[in-house]
Amino acid sequence: RTALREAAEGTSRLRAVAGAMALARRLRSHFEGDEPLALLLPPGRAGALVSLAASLAGRTLLPLNPTAGAAAIETAVRRGGARRLLTSPKLLEKLELELPESLHPLMIEDLVAEVGVIDRALGLITPWLPLALTERLAGAPRGVRGRDRAALLFTSGSSGTPKGVPLTHAQVGANVDQVARVLPLDHDDRLLGS
């Protein structure tokens, strides 16, 4: 079944999990300690897979809002403790955005090019592995717990300095459950996001 669709191309659930696992394994060589992953990608499949990869690897996601402006991005990066930014050269060129000097860009195209045969093979068997082993293979220093930070979102700063709002894995899971209760979907339904 299709899990993600972008334009006319679909990605099955298996391929989405396999792709996220392969990306998570490549991400781990670019980060130290519990450093968060700053993310600047357009909405779509790549951003969804990277978000899942960050979760599998036990890494906090720090999504950046390009419309918030350079000062708000600088504040989010500094306060969030990010040193690496996963992005795309096409997006950076289109946005004409000045990145903080402390932030080192890592291009999604380069990360995908690093994915090797072992990463792909582990990705394909991931759905049948215990979650703890999956997280370990993805580079998580320990099993991801509900109270661990999943993401750090920053306000736009329209009323002053942008404020960081941490979201735990338990909170994200609760939000998913709440949406499922209000919007019960079955296998024949489709959901459109932008």
Side-chain angles (χ1 to χ4, degrees), residues 61-192:
L61 193 65
L62 177 62
L64 300 176
N65 178 0
T67 63
I73 288 175
E74 172 87 38
T75 299
V77 166
R78 183 173 30 78
R79 287 185 156 182
R83 295 191 316 253
R84 285 278 192 183
L85 168 70
L86 188 60
T87 189
S88 169
K90 292 176 187 174
L91 181 64
L92 288 179
E93 183 179 313
K94 182 178 178 179
L95 294 174
E96 298 178 4
L97 188 64
E98 287 290 324
L99 296 176
E101 286 184 24
S102 62
L103 198 58
H104 306 286
L106 172 62
M107 300 305 162
I108 185 76
E109 294 84 354
D110 296 339
L111 190 69
V112 169
E114 290 177 17
V115 171
V117 174
I118 293 173
D119 300 318
R120 291 180 200 280
L122 283 171
L124 288 173
I125 65 169
T126 293
W128 294 277
L129 297 176
L131 183 57
L133 179 57
T134 299
E135 291 167 338
R136 191 77 166 150
L137 290 170
R142 58 171 173 69
V144 178
R145 296 179 282 222
R147 67 178 176 265
D148 292 340
R149 233 176 27 178
L152 182 59
L153 307 179
F154 276 84
T155 62
S156 65
S158 59
S159 62
T161 304
K163 292 161 189 63
V165 180
L167 292 177
T168 65
H169 287 275
Q171 289 168 323
V172 172
N175 286 346
V176 170
D177 290 343
Q178 290 167 353
V179 168
R181 284 189 192 108
V182 173
L183 187 64
L185 301 173
D186 65 27
H187 68 280
D188 291 326
D189 293 322
R190 303 294 179 262
L191 188 62
L192 176 65

